[in-house]
Amino acid sequence: MAQVTLNGNTIHVDLPKTILQVAEEAGLFVPTFCNDKRLVPNGACRMCVVEVEGARSLVASCTTPAADGMVINTETPAVIDARKSVLELIWANHPNDCVVCDKAGQCKLQDYTYRYEVDIDAFKGAKRVSEVDQSNKFFYNDQNKCILCGKCVRVCDELQNTSAIGFSERGFHTHITHPFEEGMDKSVCVSCGNCVSVCPVGALMPKSKERFRNWEAKKVQTTCSYCGVGCQMNLIVKDNKVVDVEPVNDHSNMGLLCVKGKFGYSFIDHPDRLRKPMLKKHGVLTEVEWDEALDFVAGKIKQTRDVYGADTLAGLVSARCTNEENYLMQKLFRAGVGTNNLDHCARL
Amino acid sequence: MSLFRSHVLICGGTGCTSSSSDKIEERFKELVAEQGLDQEVMVVRTGCFGLCEEGPICIVHPEGSFYSRVKIEDVDTIVSEHLMKGRVVTSLLYRDKLAPPEHQLATSFSEVTFYKMQHRVALKNCGVINPEVIEEYIAYDGYKALGKVLTEMQPADVLDAVKKSGLRGRGGGGFPTGIKWEFAAKTEGPIKYIGCNADEGDPGAFMDRSILEGDPHCLIEAMAIAGYATGAEKGYVYIRAEYPIAVKRLKIAIEQAKEHGLLGRNIFGTDFSFDMEIRLGAGAFVCGEETALIASIEGERGMPRPKPPFPAHKGIFGKPTVINNVETFANVPQIILKGPEWYASMGTEKSKGTKVFALGGKINNSGLIEIEMGTKLRHVIEDIGGGIPKGKKFKAVQTGGPSGGCITADHLDIPIDYDNLISLGSMMGSGGMIVMDEDNCMVDIARFFLDFTVDESCGKCVPCREGTRRMLEILDRITEGKGEMEDIDKLERLAKNIKSSSLCGLGQTAPNPVLSTLRYFRTEYEAHIVGKTCPAGVCQALLTYVITDACKGCTLCKKVCPVGCITGEVKGLHHIDPDACIKCGACMSKCPFNAIIKK
């Protein structure tokens, strides 16, 4: 156990931990753009700087390990002024279009700007200007809004292991792009959208089919229905319609989703979606109730088993079912129907 | 072994090579052979002599005659007169303006004031030996220190010696070298590395280049010693590709050391093995920052990483690593051979030994000098440097390059050491010294250095990437006469926050030139902002060209003006239309009567 003084309070902590972890565990607010506990600390945005007694300058709390006897202050005038400076500098290179930005309401830049009462016009000068890359089907890359926290690059590299994007050029001209600047669709990008999910501002955004403001929508946590992994996600729902999906940082998926979970939700409200079982009556598919449909299927199974034997039947289960559903299916076939003819599409 | 009656040493440093010392060498060899003297006269291409201002330089031993600014056609004369007839060619000798009149002809190299005032430790062999011949290095006690270390000393003794010597990092930070080595030595691990930072990038600094060009074996020897002391068996030299001569000579030296068993397995028959590899830098200044350098060696994008972890714990490929620059290493063999007490006897209380400086800018003897720590700045500029050209007035000296600051005439009597320079708001840096005279505008100087840092910022952290750019824009406005007084407050606040919150040393020191010029030359900033004038007459936008009564009406200015803004009749007073004038200065340099002034 180490002893650390945090904003005047002495606390005991188990090390190793970064100063940021210690502060957050103590319930303190420390702003960050580039930090993500799943990723290797990077120290790029400098929002999380704090004062440590005896240190030559402010230190980035996300990368600095806490040490026994450390005296840390997270909101001194020097710290606040440094954070304000960072925000003013970001604003000097960021369009002031929050009123029409889809990220509004969920944007860290907006929140911190409000919190620290930042003068967004403190500096006037050159801005990085680039065309918005619309080449991906599911999201766009608007480098005019990028604050270069690098989370998208790191999540793609460290967690998704695709490494489709990276930094290009240097200094003031640095930007996030794909190999040879040929467009996102020409890269090895698998459109998982994990970069979109981690972007703290409106630079990487889904091509939303619905117009909504973040404060109009509610979040409903659910399990992704595409496969058996059980990824946790929030459906973003407005007026009882799913308008977006975000990953939930839970055990099964650690805040990641694949292209289907992240972007493939439009089937939910699709007019072609089957909402009731169908039975072919007199050569025509006709909507029926579940009881009728199940009775029909059960009857056919029984009839086949009785006439031809149980081993003439086989069950094939879908990877879109959960473990529990898969279990029930084999139970039904082994115990109910009386056959071991059972397979699963994931085996193929 | 053949004996030669004369040795002709020709500087093969980058400076002299760019003024054709390679061709001079060829010519010497050709003529010596033609005259059948090749068994009597040896022509040697050495490293840099240091007095670059006077290059190309040739020295003929045994007399030590110091020929400066040698032209290819002079070679014939030197061969026919000096080498054939034994008559020193006095008309080609360097004139030592610092010496009393009767001793100004440099008949003996060792008597030249510029050299007499120096104390060469790191530069010991530069300009003395042929860097491409390992035997010459060995003849000057080369690899003796490595032999001593491997056969007579324990690693702990080596650490002790380096610590006792008081040697501090010569790359800028000034961290005690022995302590750094000890950290790496104490970190457990089967694989460790020695890294040499030869990515010398400060504008006007070329200490490391000269050592690499003039004495590459010294670096190999020192890195092997560091390897023995810390438990590393592999060294990487990260050297910028802009130093082709240095790269070539280091490659040759590594090959020779391997052939002689001084690199590789079981050196000097001991259990110690050490090997070296060169990595070329691709031109990013930030790769001189040690964590970016490590990233680049690993094949990653050359961007700095947060510290801690420090390289001594987690360096190249995540292994414990010592990173020192070339000059730091160059001191090590001498410390081992002559003892740490000898080294520590030089310098000031906290800065021991000698330091190499690159003198440049408005100074008579621009070049490379090595002096004891604690030498007064005045001595360096007025005596060794020979003062300011054209009788101009000294204004300031910039030390530490784009990370440093300027020191004014008021502080010239301060002894040079790490701590004194920092207390003056500057820093030692790698040792660049750029001298400025009354014709230098300090706002423009600050702008120049910031322009450099903006270009060289890697773009990783916000304060450096965005902040230096905004500072530069403010300085641009001020030099264009569009500044406002609140710009000074903005500069100071931004500078403070960039320094305190940037990720690496580049950003943390980038505002120094601005802060330092604001500290000593605030009135110049105010003159630009309030008076809309540039007192030094540098900032074009604030200048007005005026024709005075000295005009004789020769019409030359009118003819040379590219925009036709000068009016006047023959033999009549001419006039410049200030609104149309583009301030190119063509008229001023053309006027035979000095009648045109800028104000």
Side-chain angles (χ1 to χ4, degrees):
Chain A
M1 269 271 170
Q3 188 178 302
V4 170
T5 309
L6 197 55
N7 292 356
N9 301 316
T10 304
I11 56 168
H12 296 274
V13 287
D14 281 322
L15 300 182
K17 274 191 183 110
T18 62
I19 296 175
L20 179 66
Q21 285 168 330
V22 170
E24 285 184 339
E25 281 170 21
L28 292 176
F29 167 82
V30 179
T32 65
F33 284 120
C34 71
N35 186 65
D36 185 319
K37 58 186 172 189
R38 301 168 298 163
L39 303 171
V40 179
N42 195 35
C45 74
R46 315 312 281 177
M47 273 305 283
C48 72
V49 288
V50 297
E51 224 172 274
V52 172
E53 264 184 37
R56 240 178 352 150
S57 59
L58 301 177
V59 301
S61 60
C62 68
T63 58
T64 311
D68 192 29
M70 220 178 218
V71 180
I72 305 158
N73 284 295
T74 62
E75 292 260 338
T76 64
V79 167
I80 291 172
D81 198 47
R83 289 177 187 165
K84 270 189 170 177
S85 251
V86 167
L87 292 165
E88 287 166 5
L89 290 169
I90 290 176
W91 272 110
N93 211 345
H94 190 94
N96 176 12
D97 65 352
C98 298
V99 283
V100 292
C101 179
D102 287 336
K103 193 75 176 186
Q106 274 218 315
C107 174
K108 278 191 163 185
L109 179 56
Q110 258 190 345
D111 295 346
Y112 298 157
T113 302
Y114 183 79
R115 181 186 177 102
Y116 291 108
E117 299 176 17
V118 171
D119 172 11
I120 64 171
D121 289 321
F123 299 102
K124 286 204 164 59
K127 288 189 178 193
R128 270 185 302 132
V129 181
S130 55
E131 268 183 47
V132 180
D133 181 355
Q134 297 277 9
S135 65
N136 186 289
K137 219 170 167 177
F138 303 102
F139 62 90
Y140 61 83
N141 174 9
D142 183 355
Q143 279 300 295
N144 302 300
K145 291 186 181 173
C146 177
I147 61 166
L148 293 168
C149 70
K151 267 205 277 196
C152 51
V153 175
R154 287 149 62 217
V155 84
C156 188
D157 192 36
E158 294 174 26
L159 299 180
Q160 175 62 29
N161 295 319
T162 300
S163 303
I165 45 174
F167 295 94
S168 188
E169 297 196 59
R170 292 151 37 80
F172 190 74
H173 306 287
T174 311
H175 59 278
I176 308 288
T177 187
H178 20 73
F180 312 110
E181 318 250 354
E182 285 198 314
M184 196 67 84
D185 59 335
K186 303 277 196 311
S187 74
V188 293
C189 172
V190 294
S191 304
C192 67
N194 288 314
C195 55
V196 177
S197 302
V198 293
C199 183
V201 294
L204 285 161
M205 290 293 285
K207 288 181 174 171
S208 189
K209 291 161 197 76
E210 305 296 329
R211 283 173 60 80
F212 68 100
R213 310 251 68 188
N214 283 299
W215 49 89
E216 297 170 341
K218 62 174 179 176
K219 293 182 180 181
V220 181
Q221 186 171 345
T222 187
T223 305
C224 178
S225 62
Y226 273 108
C227 79
V229 170
C231 292
Q232 293 301 296
M233 58 198 216
N234 282 328
L235 299 176
I236 313 297
V237 182
K238 182 198 170 190
D239 299 337
N240 214 27
K241 191 171 182 187
V242 177
V243 290
D244 197 5
V245 168
E246 65 177 23
V248 171
N249 197 350
D250 211 329
H251 293 296
S252 54
N253 56 319
M254 302 294 281
L256 301 174
L257 286 175
C258 73
V259 58
K260 291 187 273 186
K262 174 74 183 168
F263 299 114
Y265 55 84
S266 52
F267 71 90
I268 298 170
D269 293 302
H270 200 280
D272 290 347
R273 179 179 169 186
L274 296 181
R275 290 165 187 277
K276 277 192 164 180
M278 310 269 274
L279 264 184
K280 206 175 245 180
K281 292 182 173 174
H282 312 296
V284 183
L285 280 170
T286 315
E287 271 192 6
V288 296
E289 293 304 316
W290 276 105
D291 281 347
E292 187 184 345
L294 288 172
D295 282 347
F296 181 81
V297 174
K300 286 284 183 190
I301 289 175
K302 271 185 201 158
Q303 192 189 351
T304 310
R305 185 190 62 184
D306 295 346
V307 177
Y308 301 105
D311 281 342
T312 57
L313 288 159
L316 184 64
V317 201
S318 164
R320 289 189 59 173
C321 299
T322 62
N323 260 351
E324 292 77 4
E325 289 161 342
N326 277 299
Y327 173 81
L328 289 171
M329 181 71 175
Q330 64 86 29
K331 192 85 178 169
L332 173 72
F333 264 69
R334 291 205 168 104
V337 178
T339 179
N340 289 325
N341 290 343
L342 203 75
D343 214 339
H344 188 276
C345 73
R347 200 184 59 77
L348 296 175
Chain B
M1 198 170 120
S2 35
L3 287 173
F4 295 89
R5 67 167 165 87
S6 273
H7 286 76
V8 178
L9 307 188
I10 300 159
C11 174
T14 291
C16 286
T17 304
S18 60
S19 31
S20 303
S21 75
D22 49 344
K23 297 205 174 66
I24 290 170
E25 181 202 3
E26 267 174 45
R27 185 72 184 142
F28 261 115
K29 285 190 169 158
E30 208 177 285
L31 287 177
V32 163
E34 241 173 57
Q35 302 298 337
L37 297 176
D38 41 356
Q39 297 304 311
E40 296 174 44
V41 176
M42 190 181 193
V43 180
V44 184
R45 191 106 187 270
T46 68
C48 178
F49 288 94
L51 192 51
C52 306
E53 182 76 34
E54 296 292 329
I57 290 171
C58 298
I59 291 169
V60 180
H61 285 303
E63 298 86 351
S65 310
F66 186 30
Y67 294 113
S68 65
R69 297 186 193 243
V70 176
K71 292 187 203 66
I72 192 132
E73 52 271 26
D74 298 336
V75 176
D76 295 56
T77 322
I78 296 174
V79 172
S80 61
E81 287 296 305
H82 192 152
L83 296 179
M84 307 258 310
K85 298 174 190 151
R87 293 198 291 238
V88 174
V89 189
T90 48
S91 61
L92 296 175
L93 286 180
Y94 166 66
R95 289 194 181 262
D96 184 1
K97 295 179 203 83
L98 304 173
E102 63 274 23
H103 296 299
Q104 286 202 346
L105 275 185
T107 41
S108 173
F109 169 69
S110 53
E111 292 301 310
V112 172
T113 320
F114 179 76
Y115 294 104
K116 270 204 312 202
M117 289 180 181
Q118 297 186 43
H119 188 142
R120 296 191 147 209
V121 176
L123 298 178
K124 180 175 87 84
N125 291 335
C126 291
V128 176
I129 62 166
N130 181 341
E132 296 183 13
V133 179
I134 190 171
E135 287 80 5
E136 294 207 9
Y137 179 66
I138 292 171
Y140 277 85
D141 292 340
Y143 292 106
K144 200 170 162 186
L146 180 60
K148 180 178 172 185
V149 159
L150 294 186
T151 56
E152 296 171 25
M153 293 169 84
Q154 293 299 312
D157 303 334
V158 182
L159 293 176
D160 222 33
V162 179
K163 272 200 291 185
K164 268 194 198 147
S165 74
L167 176 64
R168 290 169 68 174
R170 299 294 194 239
F175 192 83
T177 307
I179 295 178
K180 192 186 262 189
W181 288 18
E182 194 173 54
F183 282 149
K186 281 186 176 162
T187 310
E188 298 283 330
I191 298 175
K192 296 180 188 178
Y193 295 110
I194 304 296
C196 173
N197 186 345
D199 193 51
E200 187 176 47
D202 283 1
F206 49 99
M207 297 59 70
D208 292 348
R209 186 188 75 202
S210 284
I211 295 171
L212 286 166
E213 288 175 354
D215 197 12
H217 283 287
C218 164
L219 175 67
I220 299 174
E221 180 173 12
M223 286 178 73
I225 293 172
Y228 178 72
T230 56
E233 294 197 339
K234 177 85 191 257
Y236 286 97
V237 184
Y238 189 88
I239 175 168
R240 57 194 309 217
E242 295 93 328
Y243 283 178
I245 299 176
V247 173
K248 182 184 141 217
R249 292 192 184 149
L250 185 62
K251 274 186 185 163
I252 293 173
I254 290 175
E255 281 313 307
Q256 288 174 343
K258 281 182 183 169
E259 281 166 23
H260 285 72
L262 297 163
L263 276 180
R265 310 292 316 164
N266 304 105
I267 300 171
F268 283 105
T270 64
D271 291 339
F272 177 67
S273 304
F274 194 77
D275 203 357
M276 268 171 74
E277 228 179 88
I278 294 178
R279 285 280 202 275
L280 290 188
F285 175 69
V286 76
C287 286
E289 195 280 336
E290 59 182 358
T291 59
L293 179 135
I294 288 169
S296 185
I297 285 178
E298 292 171 354
E300 299 284 328
R301 197 177 155 91
M303 279 175 142
R305 296 168 177 172
K307 288 192 280 192
F310 291 93
H313 296 132
K314 243 179 139 181
I316 298 172
F317 299 116
K319 309 294 181 205
T321 301
V322 167
I323 305 267
N324 281 131
N325 85 327
V326 179
E327 190 190 336
T328 315
F329 279 124
N331 285 292
V332 171
Q334 298 294 305
I335 290 171
I336 299 294
L337 286 181
K338 296 188 178 171
E341 295 77 15
W342 159 79
Y343 196 80
S345 70
M346 297 180 285
T348 63
E349 193 197 338
K350 287 181 178 167
S351 305
K352 300 295 185 189
T354 58
K355 174 82 190 87
V356 185
F357 288 99
L359 274 181
K362 305 283 182 63
I363 186 119
N364 277 316
N365 293 338
S366 59
L368 215 56
I369 59 160
E370 183 168 358
I371 47 166
E372 278 191 33
M373 291 276 193
T375 306
K376 285 183 178 161
L377 206 45
R378 185 182 301 283
H379 181 57
V380 172
I381 289 164
E382 293 178 2
D383 302 332
I384 305 175
I388 317 294
K390 297 177 194 162
K392 295 273 182 181
K393 206 170 143 227
F394 170 85
K395 188 173 197 175
V397 55
Q398 169 88 14
T399 67
S403 310
C406 56
I407 295 165
T408 58
D410 295 342
H411 300 104
L412 276 184
D413 287 314
I414 200 156
I416 303 170
D417 71 8
Y418 289 98
D419 310 288
N420 282 341
L421 291 184
I422 284 175
S423 73
L424 290 176
S426 185
M427 66 188 283
M428 183 79 80
S430 55
M433 271 194 192
I434 299 174
V435 182
M436 288 162 280
D437 68 9
E438 54 194 298
D439 290 341
N440 286 105
C441 164
M442 299 315 280
V443 185
D444 186 60
I445 291 288
R447 207 195 61 83
F448 166 80
F449 280 112
L450 211 59
D451 189 41
F452 178 85
T453 350
V454 167
D455 264 355
E456 295 298 346
S457 166
C458 81
K460 181 167 179 174
C461 77
V462 178
C464 176
R465 180 185 70 233
E466 311 284 343
T468 53
R469 174 71 183 228
R470 300 306 160 206
M471 285 181 77
L472 178 64
E473 285 172 346
I474 295 173
L475 288 174
D476 277 341
R477 285 206 298 271
I478 293 176
T479 53
E480 284 163 10
K482 295 172 190 159
E484 291 160 18
M485 277 311 277
E486 63 167 32
D487 282 338
I488 293 186
D489 302 332
K490 274 190 181 178
L491 278 177
E492 282 181 327
R493 174 167 167 252
L494 249 185
K496 179 194 79 180
N497 285 333
I498 294 171
K499 274 172 76 85
S500 72
S501 57
S502 286
L503 170 64
C504 81
L506 194 154
Q508 286 163 10
T509 56
N512 284 352
V514 178
L515 287 177
S516 153
T517 47
L518 267 172
R519 178 170 165 184
Y520 296 115
F521 299 97
R522 203 183 185 91
T523 50
E524 274 194 41
Y525 280 83
E526 288 164 358
H528 284 75
I529 294 169
V530 182
K532 306 292 177 201
T533 56
C534 173
V538 172
C539 300
Q540 288 288 344
L542 299 177
L543 297 178
T544 320
Y545 285 81
V546 180
I547 301 179
T548 62
D549 293 343
C551 174
K552 302 264 189 271
C554 73
T555 74
L556 272 179
C557 59
K558 193 171 147 185
K559 281 182 193 142
V560 82
C561 176
V563 291
C565 73
I566 300 179
T567 49
E569 298 303 321
V570 181
K571 294 191 179 167
L573 183 65
H574 281 53
H575 173 73
I576 299 173
D577 174 5
D579 295 329
C581 172
I582 57 164
K583 297 161 185 175
C584 66
C587 54
M588 192 173 166
S589 46
K590 196 76 185 172
C591 177
F593 310 105
N594 293 330
I596 303 178
I597 55 165
K598 51 182 182 181
K599 58 179 188 183

